[in-house]
Amino acid sequence: MFYRDGFFWGMHLIWWAIWLVALGWIFFAPSGTSGAEINEDDPVTTLKIRFAKGEISKEEYEQSRNLLRSDK
């Protein structure tokens, strides 16, 4: 009954469009994660964060940074 009036076909196209947009969003949208993310497990990064927060002094920061870089 609705199919002959074109109403069902119109709603059918709308649902297909909604599904295509949703799938496109899932598979083609940028995920927000990249390889350039900061690794917070890195000791030098942790040291920089602590220095920025004021938890350690400049001397402690430089001494620790030099110590960490000499181990590599």
Side-chain angles (χ1 to χ4, degrees):
M1 176 156 98
F2 290 119
Y3 186 73
R4 281 185 244 149
D5 294 336
F7 179 75
F8 179 76
W9 184 243
M11 288 302 293
H12 190 72
L13 285 177
I14 291 172
W15 281 113
W16 272 107
I18 290 171
W19 278 111
L20 288 174
V21 167
L23 289 174
W25 186 3
I26 290 170
F27 289 109
F28 298 113
S31 64
T33 58
S34 66
E37 283 186 5
I38 296 174
N39 184 5
E40 292 188 20
D41 293 336
D42 181 32
V44 177
T45 304
T46 305
L47 188 63
K48 287 179 184 179
I49 292 170
R50 289 187 62 203
F51 178 64
K53 289 181 179 180
E55 294 177 2
I56 58 175
S57 67
K58 182 178 179 181
E59 292 80 22
E60 290 173 319
Y61 168 74
E62 290 174 353
Q63 183 182 20
S64 299
R65 184 186 65 190
N66 291 335
L67 180 66
L68 289 171
R69 287 188 178 171
S70 68
D71 286 343
K72 291 183 180 180

